[in-house]
Amino acid sequence: MSRSKRWLNMHKKEFNPDGTLKNEARVEMLSMGMNNETIDDYALRLKANYDHLKHLDETDPEPWPIYTAYDFFTAEEKQQFNPDGSLKPEYVEAAVKKGTSERWLEEMERRKKIDVDNYNKVSAKKAEQGINFGEQEMNVRVFASRTYVQRLHQMEVDLRNFEDADSLPFDKNTSY
């Protein structure tokens, strides 16, 4: 989702889709004691911000990497399943030969299709809010896969940047 659409989502109670202040918002601000000059200044500043973001969307769009549920399958799952969650015929054939029940294979497929469907629904819902769910999930996995030494190094950087102790991967008194 574009910067300007995210901005509109954040300000949808007060602003119209073109970035102008809604009349109802103006009336409410007046009822709270704000004067017209202050309201106009507020509306102009936020409209200018909206216009700037809209211009950036047109001239320098943000990258929006597309991740599918398949990108989050394990290596083993990629051998077993198609991107839509259905089992690959060659896997089914081999599993049946090894004695796996067809009923269990059907259940595996049903569950994986539900996982894929859930991923797609969450991804679409988040995209409406301007959030790239797949990118977030990939970043979580990348961060989680860092080695102990990498996380210690990142913690040193975070401490120099005065990050909250709660956000650190280890106790700040960890000796390195």
Side-chain angles (χ1 to χ4, degrees), residues 65-176:
I66 305 296
Y67 292 99
T68 66
Y70 191 73
D71 294 315
F72 298 96
F73 286 12
T74 64
E76 182 180 358
E77 289 172 329
K78 286 181 179 182
Q79 291 176 347
Q80 299 169 340
F81 296 98
N82 294 308
D84 67 351
S86 61
L87 283 168
K88 292 182 175 183
E90 59 273 15
Y91 174 77
V92 171
E93 187 179 321
V96 168
K97 283 182 183 176
K98 290 180 183 175
T100 305
S101 78
E102 287 186 31
R103 191 161 182 93
W104 171 244
L105 293 170
E106 289 169 3
E107 180 62 16
M108 283 177 58
E109 183 175 83
R110 184 186 74 79
R111 289 179 183 183
K112 187 52 78 177
K113 283 184 175 183
I114 290 171
D115 288 346
V116 169
D117 188 46
N118 287 340
Y119 174 90
N120 291 337
K121 286 178 183 175
V122 171
S123 186
K125 185 75 171 166
K126 295 285 188 177
E128 289 173 9
Q129 300 166 4
I131 299 167
N132 187 330
F133 177 70
E135 184 177 32
Q136 273 187 339
E137 290 298 300
M138 191 59 72
N139 289 341
V140 166
R141 288 197 177 193
V142 167
F143 183 77
S145 69
R146 286 184 173 172
T147 66
Y148 177 77
V149 173
Q150 288 171 318
R151 288 186 296 205
L152 272 178
H153 174 69
Q154 183 61 48
M155 188 169 135
E156 291 171 7
V157 172
D158 291 345
L159 285 170
R160 284 193 303 268
N161 291 330
F162 305 104
E163 296 289 332
D164 289 335
D166 292 349
S167 70
L168 300 174
F170 306 109
D171 185 293
K172 65 181 178 180
N173 296 321
T174 301
S175 47
Y176 351 152

Side-chain angles (χ1 to χ4, degrees), residues 27-80:
V27 170
E28 186 177 330
M29 290 175 192
L30 286 169
S31 73
M32 292 175 16
M34 292 176 74
N35 63 41
N36 272 319
E37 186 178 296
T38 304
I39 296 169
D40 289 343
D41 180 59
Y42 172 73
L44 286 173
R45 281 185 293 114
L46 269 75
K47 173 69 169 139
N49 182 251
Y50 169 78
D51 289 341
H52 174 70
L53 294 173
K54 190 165 176 70
H55 175 73
L56 285 175
D57 290 341
E58 293 163 359
T59 59
D60 185 22
E62 290 180 309
W64 188 276
I66 305 296
Y67 292 99
T68 66
Y70 191 73
D71 294 315
F72 298 96
F73 286 12
T74 64
E76 182 180 358
E77 289 172 329
K78 286 181 179 182
Q79 291 176 347
Q80 299 169 340

